[in-house]
Amino acid sequence: MSTPAAVYRPRNPQSSDYYRCVEDHFETFIQVYEERFERPYGFWRPYLQKVIDRYLECGDLHHGFARVKCPDCHHEYLLAFSCKRRHFCPSCHQKRVVEFGEWLCSHVLKKVPHRHFVFSLPKILRQYFLYERDLLSDLSRCNWESLKLFLQEAVPEKNPIPGAVIAIQTFGDFLGFNPHCHVLVTDGCFYGSGMFRVAPPLDLKKLEAIFRHKVFKMLLAKGRITKDLIAMLSNWRHSGFQVFCGQRIFPQDETAMENLARYIIRASFSQERMQYLAEPSKVVYSAKDGTKEKVFNALEWLAAMCSHIPDRGEQMVRYYGYYSNVSRGKRKETEDDRVPCIS
């Protein structure tokens, strides 16, 4: 007997604390943004209002739907349109996360060892990326150039090239603006014709020093910082720059690879950790481990949320080296996309 199909149950976003908070305060938030939030969160971006308006219509049959009908049993139901907005809509962003994890593992990543790196900045430099989001793409490039240099030096082959997928995140535990990069990179380099050599363990302190130099050079060239500030930060005992490296992920561990791919583009917040108190207009947000919580004014909560919404068309995931769009396109044209031989 065939297994019966699952029953479609439409979601009800209007019943969530998150939706009620946005619905209750978004009009006031837009009106007072310039006066109350422009200084700490940067200039108002008109695109934000479109994101909020579309979210409030997401999953609501009154704002459009598709009629889905089974050709065999003729059963039909209505499927409400979704807003497809990143980071602000929990449902749409989660769909994107799941699809991204499956696509990345199926079409981009090769069956070679990988590692997870995280590159973080000191607090004193984060404000530049808040007020000028274009710098986030330059931060991603600094990550890639640092790792590329290090891995190529570690692999004794001719013209070695690593592959990397870099996702930019801008949020911390309690939605503070914390620009950092999650990197899923090959634990070694490709070379020759379909060959791959695993790299020895990396010295993270040296990698951190290279990354710090790249960031200083980039911000100095763009006129965002001065040589005096660089000298001051260089003399700090703890510079605030940090590089994390996870354990090696082996090719056969497909579940861990897909979970990590989803993790690097996860949403900026969790609905399960949020509680909206309508009467005092407060939002209580709990830490991931449940040991701490922070109370926000509802308008402050919306301001913090909006600071993590990418601009229209802004790329938050980039592909470099062996995984770049150009490299993958060339291999597809020549049909030379074989399984690498690991050495």
Side-chain angles (χ1 to χ4, degrees), residues 251-314:
Q252 60 270 24
D253 197 349
E254 297 179 358
T255 301
M257 189 72 72
E258 187 168 331
N259 288 339
L260 181 56
R262 295 177 180 180
Y263 176 78
I264 66 176
I265 67 161
R266 71 189 189 279
S268 55
F269 84 109
S270 169
Q271 284 195 95
E272 289 72 22
R273 291 154 53 191
M274 172 199 175
Q275 181 183 6
Y276 171 53
L277 307 177
E279 190 64 30
S281 298
K282 301 290 184 182
V283 172
V284 181
Y285 195 67
S286 303
K288 189 174 182 179
D289 57 7
T291 58
K292 298 179 181 179
E293 61 182 28
K294 184 175 180 179
V295 180
F296 294 82
N297 174 276
L299 296 178
E300 292 176 352
W301 165 264
L302 288 176
M305 282 292 303
C306 287
S307 69
H308 306 299
I309 298 175
D311 287 329
R312 183 179 182 88
E314 181 179 356

Side-chain angles (χ1 to χ4, degrees), residues 179-285:
H180 58 284
C181 291
H182 287 264
V183 185
L184 189 53
V185 63
T186 54
D187 194 15
C189 293
F190 298 92
Y191 67 97
S193 180
M195 301 294 290
F196 181 84
R197 181 177 290 278
V198 178
L202 303 180
D203 186 339
L204 293 185
K205 285 298 180 182
K206 293 182 179 180
L207 180 58
E208 179 186 307
I210 296 174
F211 172 59
R212 181 172 65 246
H213 170 75
K214 295 286 186 182
V215 172
F216 283 158
K217 183 179 178 181
M218 180 269 292
L219 292 176
L220 183 64
K222 291 184 174 291
R224 301 299 176 267
I225 60 175
T226 63
K227 293 183 178 180
D228 291 338
L229 179 59
I230 294 176
M232 182 187 72
L233 293 176
S234 300
N235 290 327
W236 284 3
R237 183 177 180 182
H238 301 290
S239 67
F241 288 89
Q242 188 175 2
V243 177
F244 163 83
C245 178
Q247 297 293 323
R248 177 177 292 165
I249 305 174
F250 293 95
Q252 60 270 24
D253 197 349
E254 297 179 358
T255 301
M257 189 72 72
E258 187 168 331
N259 288 339
L260 181 56
R262 295 177 180 180
Y263 176 78
I264 66 176
I265 67 161
R266 71 189 189 279
S268 55
F269 84 109
S270 169
Q271 284 195 95
E272 289 72 22
R273 291 154 53 191
M274 172 199 175
Q275 181 183 6
Y276 171 53
L277 307 177
E279 190 64 30
S281 298
K282 301 290 184 182
V283 172
V284 181
Y285 195 67

Side-chain angles (χ1 to χ4, degrees), residues 59 62 81 110 116 127 139 143-144 155 183 185 195 213 246 263 283 294 297 327:
H62 295 89
F81 292 151
K110 295 302 177 183
H116 175 216
Q127 59 182 334
L139 179 63
N143 281 254
W144 163 243
V155 175
V183 185
V185 63
M195 301 294 290
H213 170 75
Y263 176 78
V283 172
K294 184 175 180 179
N297 174 276
S327 295

Side-chain angles (χ1 to χ4, degrees), residues 16-17 43 47-48 59 80 102 107-108 124 135 149 173 176-177 187 189 200 203 208 216 227 231 255 258 294 330:
S16 69
D17 281 11
F43 294 108
Y47 176 65
L48 298 180
E102 295 176 352
H107 296 86
V108 179
I124 195 173
L135 292 176
L149 176 63
D173 287 337
F177 194 82
D187 194 15
C189 293
D203 186 339
E208 179 186 307
F216 283 158
K227 293 183 178 180
T255 301
E258 187 168 331
K294 184 175 180 179
K330 289 181 178 179

Side-chain angles (χ1 to χ4, degrees), residues 54-126:
R54 288 293 303 274
Y55 166 69
L56 292 174
E57 298 175 357
C58 184
D60 188 343
L61 293 172
H62 295 89
H63 296 285
F65 58 85
R67 185 183 299 273
V68 182
K69 184 176 182 178
C70 176
D72 297 325
C73 69
H74 304 295
H75 173 74
E76 61 182 38
Y77 62 90
L78 304 182
L79 180 64
F81 292 151
S82 57
C83 66
K84 297 180 174 63
R85 292 301 181 261
R86 296 178 289 174
H87 285 285
F88 197 79
C89 178
S91 176
C92 292
H93 190 84
Q94 184 58 30
K95 292 176 185 176
R96 182 185 296 268
V97 167
V98 174
E99 292 174 354
F100 174 79
E102 295 176 352
W103 177 82
L104 191 69
C105 294
S106 301
H107 296 86
V108 179
L109 304 181
K110 295 302 177 183
K111 298 296 183 180
V112 298
H114 287 78
R115 283 190 189 271
H116 175 216
F117 284 84
V118 183
F119 290 78
S120 304
L121 297 171
K123 291 182 179 180
I124 195 173
L125 297 181
R126 296 174 188 174

